[in-house]
């Protein structure tokens, strides 16, 4: 069969359920499409309920949530913010929005997230140089919980507040507790490729009521309490619409199911491809962690196969299957050429050897078999 005979198999496409339309319908019927409304309140309540966070602010994107979260932590011009190097650019762009500088920290090999040893080294060195880091952004990449206990302990020791970038990790848990609820601020994304989607959207969670109020204020143009338009602070247009929040309400009801499905997909690939020489399933789930397996990732072992991740990606492409390289580390990005970084070889090596396989929760058995056959053809 030619590749055109198959529909394109995407990496992680949106997967809608049956109730999103009801919430949208109701919003249109009631003329509640803007600006706020019952879906927005309900969506925020659903997120609080799931994460255990005291307060939630639904926003237009995860990036917006990181931006507001860093501002809540007091980040401003000239500050330095510690940040995982191995992540999507949107983790760090908001540091630049605020006129601050990122300081990148390498990964460790067990979870692929921020390395506690490199973190300590970075903090001590920055302080020696007279730059006490203002905040720390901790990412849970591909849904895998970072080494939270160690990292939170180091952050507490140096009194540095933590923002958790859980954009990829909604539904993941660490020692039973949902990710996003460990830091002073937690951030989720509801972009189209994430485990749940509102087509585009994000959320900020915190236990601080004053901070939540402040984030809402900034997200709606920072309008002072006056009958006319008066502004004492800089604001943004970042609030999620009541329509999209309706999609979010329908999606939140599906979260446990979607996590279960993504974990099953990961287990399915592992079981059938584990013994293919040169193909390594990583990272593994450490005891006490429960990842949502947002994307199934693999590494190619150059000692066992001559096939490179790029060759595998191109081969899957000929079968009309989308796969993606792992995130290119931020300390290698031209945008951040002059930024300090601590370590880097661990995530550089992962980037060189890794690939993300199609992991969408709507994948059928036939879809999975297509990927399986295509991988086996080459390896
Ligand atoms: C998707 C993502 C973001 C940004 O979320 P958007 O909703 O797309 O703005 C931030 N950080 C990570 C790690 C992400 O994967």
């Amino acid at each position: 069969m030619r590749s055109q005979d198959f529909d394109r198999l995407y990496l992680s496409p949106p997967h809608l359920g049956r109730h999103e339309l009801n919430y949208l319908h109701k919003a249109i019927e009631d003329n509640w499409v803007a600006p706020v409304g019952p879906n927005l309140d309900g969506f925020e309540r659903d997120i609080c309920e799931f994460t255990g966070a005291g307060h939630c602010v639904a926003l237009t994107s995860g990036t917006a949530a990181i931006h507001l979260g860093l501002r809540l932590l007091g980040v401003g011009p000239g500050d330095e913010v510690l940040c995982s190097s191995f992540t999507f650019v949107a983790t760090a762009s908001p540091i630049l929005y605020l006129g601050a500088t990122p300081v990148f920290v390498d990964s460790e090999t067990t979870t692929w997230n921020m390395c506690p040893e490199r973190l300590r080294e970075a903090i001590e060195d920055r302080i020696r140089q007279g730059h006490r880091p203002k905040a720390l952004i901790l990412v849970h990449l591909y849904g895998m919980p970072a080494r939270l206990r160690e990292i939170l302990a180091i952050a507490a020791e140096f009194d540095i507040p933590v923002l958790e970038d859980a954009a990829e990790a909604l539904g993941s848990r660490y020692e039973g507790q949902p990710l996003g609820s460990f830091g002073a601020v937690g951030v989720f994304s509801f972009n189209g490729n994430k485990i749940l989607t509102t087509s585009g959207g994000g959320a900020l969670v915190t236990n601080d009521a004053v901070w939540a109020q402040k984030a809402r204020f900034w997200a709606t143009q920072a309008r002072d309490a006056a009958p006319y338009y008066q502004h004492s602070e800089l604001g943004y247009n970042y609030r999620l619409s009541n329509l999209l929040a309706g999609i979010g309400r329908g999606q939140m009801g599906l979260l446990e199911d979607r996590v279960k499905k993504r974990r099953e997909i990961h287990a399915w690939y592992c079981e059938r491809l584990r013994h293919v020489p040169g193909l390594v399933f990583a990272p593994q789930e450490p005891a006490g962690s429960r990842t949502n397996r947002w994307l199934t990732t693999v590494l190619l072992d150059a000692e066992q196969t001559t096939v490179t991740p790029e060759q595998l990606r191109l081969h899957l492409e000929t079968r009309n299957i989308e796969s993606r390289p792992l995130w290119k580390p931020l300390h290698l990005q031209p945008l951040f050429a002059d930024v300090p970084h601590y370590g880097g070889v661990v995530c550089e090596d992962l980037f060189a050897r890794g690939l993300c396989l199609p992991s969408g929760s709507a994948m059928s058995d036939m879809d999975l078999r297509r990927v399986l056959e295509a991988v086996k053809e080459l390896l």
Side-chain angles (χ1 to χ4, degrees), residues 38 40 57 64 86-87 97 101 140 183 185 193 211-212 219-220 237 240 242 269 272 284 307 309 367:
L40 202 57
V57 183
F86 198 34
T87 184
Y97 299 172
T101 308
H140 306 290
V185 172
N193 61 351
W211 280 9
T220 49
N237 185 2
L240 189 69
N242 190 57
Y269 281 131
R272 287 161 185 81
Q284 287 180 16
V307 173
D367 294 335

Side-chain angles (χ1 to χ4, degrees), residues 50-51 166-172 188-190 195-196 252 255 259 292:
F50 180 84
T51 57
E168 303 177 0
L170 180 64
S172 297
F188 300 107
S189 166
F190 296 92
I195 192 157
L196 299 185
M252 278 304 287
L255 180 54
V259 171
N292 65 9

Side-chain angles (χ1 to χ4, degrees), residues 24-334:
L24 283 175
H25 213 127
K26 184 88 173 67
I28 290 169
E29 228 168 53
D30 298 349
N31 205 35
W32 260 124
V33 297
V36 286
N39 282 339
L40 202 57
D41 296 339
F43 184 42
E44 291 178 345
R45 224 170 23 242
D46 293 344
I47 294 171
C48 282
E49 216 159 273
F50 180 84
T51 57
H55 305 275
C56 173
V57 183
L59 299 164
T60 47
S61 71
T63 313
I66 295 171
H67 186 188
L68 297 186
L70 287 177
R71 201 168 150 190
L72 286 173
L73 299 184
V75 174
D79 287 332
E80 289 192 353
V81 177
L82 298 153
C83 181
S84 314
S85 180
F86 198 34
T87 184
F88 180 45
V89 70
T91 303
S93 305
I95 301 172
L96 301 187
Y97 299 172
L98 289 162
T101 308
V103 172
F104 292 123
V105 180
D106 201 356
S107 300
E108 39 82 14
T109 54
T110 61
T111 72
W112 295 7
N113 292 307
M114 188 180 279
C115 172
E117 286 79 36
R118 289 292 89 69
L119 172 64
R120 176 178 291 281
E121 188 183 306
I123 295 173
E124 289 177 349
D125 191 54
R126 295 327 288 169
I127 290 176
R128 255 196 307 275
Q129 297 195 34
H131 304 290
R132 159 167 283 281
K134 189 77 178 182
L136 189 170
I137 306 183
L138 181 63
V139 185
H140 306 290
L141 212 62
Y142 303 116
M144 182 61 75
R147 275 158 60 176
L148 267 160
R149 289 284 160 238
E150 290 153 274
I151 287 168
L152 291 176
I154 294 169
E157 183 184 331
F158 291 95
D159 202 19
I160 300 170
V162 175
L163 182 151
E164 262 184 288
D165 179 353
E168 303 177 0
L170 180 64
S172 297
R173 291 169 188 273
Y174 181 82
E175 293 174 2
Q177 186 181 328
L179 295 189
S181 66
F182 287 87
V185 172
V187 165
F188 300 107
S189 166
F190 296 92
N191 192 33
N193 61 351
K194 297 298 180 352
I195 192 157
L196 299 185
T197 185
T198 56
S199 81
L204 177 156
V205 293
T206 177
N207 285 326
D208 189 316
V210 175
W211 280 9
Q213 207 42 50
K214 197 82 202 184
R216 278 197 189 92
F217 172 72
W218 287 333
T220 49
Q221 308 286 20
R223 287 172 62 177
D224 292 345
Y228 37 82
Y229 287 87
Q230 174 171 298
H231 307 273
S232 313
E233 289 185 54
L234 176 64
Y236 318 90
N237 185 2
Y238 274 176
R239 200 72 163 111
L240 189 69
S241 88
N242 190 57
L243 267 185
L244 297 187
I247 302 179
R249 293 207 74 183
Q251 287 271 288
M252 278 304 287
L254 300 164
L255 180 54
E256 294 292 5
D257 178 69
R258 298 300 191 247
V259 171
K260 184 166 165 277
K261 186 67 207 275
R262 298 236 180 195
R263 289 178 61 88
E264 282 168 9
I265 289 169
H266 178 265
W268 194 97
Y269 281 131
C270 270
E271 194 182 314
R272 287 161 185 81
L273 290 169
R274 197 187 346 243
H275 302 297
V276 173
L279 198 66
V280 180
F281 282 85
Q284 287 180 16
E285 188 174 65
S289 288
R290 191 169 189 277
T291 161
N292 65 9
R293 288 290 181 202
W294 172 53
L295 296 181
T296 289
T297 50
V298 292
L299 297 176
L300 289 167
D301 180 357
E303 287 183 4
Q304 291 198 57
T305 177
T306 57
V307 173
T308 65
E310 183 58 7
Q311 283 169 338
L312 179 56
R313 189 185 73 79
L314 290 172
H315 178 73
L316 292 173
E317 201 57 47
T318 66
R319 301 292 179 269
N320 214 2
I321 297 169
E322 183 186 32
S323 62
R324 290 258 178 96
L326 303 185
W327 298 121
K328 179 173 178 173
L330 297 187
H331 73 274
L332 299 180
Q333 301 286 356

